[in-house]
Amino acid sequence: MTNILTADNIILNQAFTNKEEAIKFTGQILVDKGYVDQEYVEKMLEREELSSTFMGNFVAIPHGTDDAKKSVNTSGLAIVQVPDGVDFGGGNIVKVLIGIAGKDGAHLEILSQIAIVCSEEENVEKIVKATSAEEILSLFDEVN
């Protein structure tokens, strides 16, 4: 079984001009690592138009629409650190993007694990300040 999150899925020190660019980048990691098909990225953008995936605490959790399930090969996560933040609209600045692909309903369980980690402000702070993928990975031990 493939790990849902590996150090290879965590990209540090990115900068984006807008949320679409940030979501595409995050989704592309999931594609490149084989978790999802390319069309999943479009579904992530569609999902964002329906309602923002901004969760508070500088965190956004972009994921596909419900009908994107057929584009998911296996459950996976991608984490992108954006130290200077990217505007998700309404004054919501995102410094951590966590892209999610859940196979067969697994995304709800994954989401709850992420929510637990990211509800602690100091954890988010650690993610934003992390200088290695391993530091971030250790915060998400429960997810794997």
Side-chain angles (χ1 to χ4, degrees):
M1 171 167 151
T2 317
N3 270 1
I4 288 175
L5 181 64
T6 68
D8 287 345
N9 305 14
I10 300 172
I11 312 286
L12 305 180
N13 295 317
Q14 295 302 301
F16 303 103
T17 48
N18 57 46
K19 69 177 181 178
E20 286 75 22
E21 197 181 285
I23 291 168
K24 278 184 190 162
F25 183 91
T26 307
Q28 195 59 47
I29 300 168
L30 294 170
V31 174
D32 292 345
K33 302 295 176 214
Y35 294 107
V36 299
D37 299 333
Q38 190 65 51
E39 64 191 32
Y40 190 79
V41 180
E42 288 307 312
K43 296 295 184 183
M44 290 171 87
L45 292 166
E46 255 176 55
R47 171 70 187 77
E48 193 62 38
E49 279 173 22
L50 296 171
S51 73
S52 178
T53 55
F54 176 75
M55 306 298 284
N57 266 359
F58 298 111
V59 178
I61 305 183
H63 53 281
T65 53
D66 282 344
D67 66 347
K69 287 186 179 64
K70 62 183 182 304
S71 305
V72 178
N73 302 318
T74 182
S75 296
L77 288 180
I79 299 181
V80 180
Q81 179 202 61
V82 189
D84 295 331
V86 57
D87 189 350
F88 258 58
N92 297 327
I93 300 300
V94 170
K95 295 184 178 185
V96 179
L97 287 110
I98 304 175
I100 296 184
K103 187 78 178 157
D104 304 328
H107 68 281
L108 294 176
E109 195 180 323
I110 298 167
L111 273 170
S112 69
Q113 294 293 349
I114 291 167
I116 291 165
V117 174
C118 295
S119 63
E120 299 287 333
E121 225 164 288
E122 70 251 34
N123 285 342
V124 176
E125 197 64 21
K126 281 179 193 163
I127 297 170
V128 173
K129 288 188 162 58
T131 54
S132 74
E134 285 69 23
E135 283 175 67
I136 294 175
L137 197 54
S138 67
L139 290 168
F140 288 94
D141 280 342
E142 297 301 306
V143 177
N144 283 325

